[in-house]
């Protein structure tokens, strides 16, 4: 286990210096002197940050700051949440709260292209009603796009985390073609409310749609 106090100090150093992706870190000997630790202790912490994907060692270049993209962060967080064994109720409650909060942004800022993409995903889902596994994948893409539309990186991270719900443990997949048809009909109403910029109706539709998830 790396020295947690030293780890926090180095993380604070990176933030305070406002280092950007690709910026070179000071040499190990300089950092060790700066924090008053041995080079061995420092290497251990640097190695921890390399494993986290925050730093990268490059031959002849030294240690470089590497800022993970949204998908990498989401994948790491998703794994940690699985280890935490978050319950179905927690995932459902979080999704409900966040999805309802999307209504104003969806109604105001969704572009014609994004609305068209939602419609196409819904049509694909319905056309696959006899293949409920594939229909379920289109359902996931539909809801992930709802979270992506506002352009908020934190919401985009949650859109990746939402995949946990679609793995069958926290949220069972579609049980029948009839259930796919019902969900598709609800999607159409959601899309129409987005087109009409109707925040109140959209919020009500999202609340009804997500409330049907099992506890």
């Amino acid at each position: 286990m790396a020295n947690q106090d030293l780890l926090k100090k180095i993380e604070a150093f990176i933030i305070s210096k406002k280092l950007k992706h690709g910026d070179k870190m000071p040499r190990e000997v300089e950092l060790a002197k700066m924090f008053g630790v041995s080079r061995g202790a420092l290497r251990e912490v640097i190695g921890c940050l390399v494993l986290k994907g925050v730093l990268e060692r490059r031959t002849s270049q030294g240690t470089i700051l590497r800022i993970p993209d949204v998908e990498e962060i989401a994948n790491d967080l998703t794994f940690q949440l699985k280890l935490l064994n978050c319950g179905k109720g927690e995932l459902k409650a979080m999704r409900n709260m966040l999805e309802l909060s999307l209504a104003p942004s969806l109604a105001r800022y969704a572009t014609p292209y994004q609305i068209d993409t939602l419609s196409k995903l819904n049509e694909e889902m319905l056309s696959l009603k006899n293949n409920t596994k594939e229909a379920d994948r289109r359902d996931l893409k539909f809801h992930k796009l709802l979270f992506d539309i506002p352009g908020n990186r934190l919401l985009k991270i949650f859109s990746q985390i939402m995949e946990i719900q679609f793995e069958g443990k926290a949220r069972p997949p579609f049980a029948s073609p009839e259930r796919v048809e019902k969900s598709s009909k609800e999607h159409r109403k959601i899309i129409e409310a987005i087109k009409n910029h109707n925040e109140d109706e959209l919020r009500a539709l999202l609340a009804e749609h997500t409330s049907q998830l099992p506890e």
Side-chain angles (χ1 to χ4, degrees):
M1 177 67 71
N3 184 316
Q4 292 299 305
D5 183 57
L6 179 57
L7 178 61
K8 289 179 181 179
K9 287 179 179 178
I10 293 178
E11 289 174 339
F13 170 79
I14 292 171
I15 298 298
S16 67
K17 294 298 181 182
K18 298 181 179 179
L19 298 178
K20 300 183 293 296
H21 184 82
D23 283 352
K24 187 175 180 179
M25 291 283 288
R27 293 183 304 147
E28 287 185 359
V29 65
E30 296 173 8
L31 286 172
K33 184 177 180 180
M34 183 185 305
F35 295 111
V37 297
S38 68
R39 291 186 66 181
L42 181 72
R43 285 197 188 104
E44 184 181 8
V45 170
I46 294 296
C48 178
L49 290 170
V50 169
L51 289 173
K52 284 185 174 184
V54 176
L55 296 179
E56 179 182 351
R57 289 190 175 108
R58 294 183 183 176
T59 305
S60 75
Q61 292 186 52
T63 304
I64 306 298
L65 180 67
R66 181 184 176 278
I67 300 177
D69 60 27
V70 166
E71 186 170 348
E72 286 180 271
I73 295 170
N75 287 338
D76 287 343
L77 187 55
T78 297
F79 175 66
Q80 291 168 2
L81 289 174
K82 287 179 180 178
L83 291 177
L84 189 60
N85 196 26
C86 290
K88 292 185 288 185
E90 290 177 285
L91 285 167
K92 177 182 176 180
M94 185 176 181
R95 179 180 167 187
N96 284 357
M97 287 186 285
L98 289 178
E99 202 151 324
L100 291 182
S101 73
L102 295 175
S105 294
L106 293 175
R108 296 173 193 172
Y109 305 123
T111 66
Y113 174 78
Q114 290 167 330
I115 293 172
D116 186 53
T117 302
L118 287 171
S119 295
K120 287 179 179 178
L121 286 171
N122 192 48
E123 289 168 10
E124 287 178 17
M125 187 182 84
L126 183 60
S127 70
L128 292 163
K129 66 181 182 180
N130 292 315
N131 184 345
T132 55
K133 185 176 180 180
E134 286 301 318
D136 206 56
R137 288 176 180 169
R138 298 311 188 280
D139 188 31
L140 171 60
K141 288 183 178 181
F142 180 93
H143 285 278
K144 285 180 70 174
L145 180 53
L146 291 181
F147 280 93
D148 290 348
I149 285 174
N152 183 297
R153 288 177 295 178
L154 295 179
L155 285 174
K156 190 173 181 66
I157 287 173
F158 181 76
S159 78
Q160 294 291 120
I161 294 172
M162 193 165 56
E163 290 191 26
I164 298 175
Q165 278 200 312
F166 284 74
E167 291 181 345
K169 294 179 181 179
R171 169 200 171 278
F174 290 124
S176 66
E178 290 73 27
R179 186 64 190 86
V180 176
E181 290 177 351
K182 184 176 186 300
S183 188
S184 176
K185 186 179 295 185
E186 292 170 359
H187 284 181
R188 285 197 204 103
K189 292 179 180 179
I190 289 170
I191 294 168
E192 198 61 30
I194 293 174
K195 282 182 182 178
N196 294 332
H197 311 290
N198 192 327
E199 292 181 29
D200 293 335
E201 182 181 2
L202 181 56
R203 189 178 290 105
L205 290 169
L206 288 171
E208 180 182 2
H209 189 60
T210 56
S211 69
Q212 298 174 53
L213 295 172
E215 295 291 350

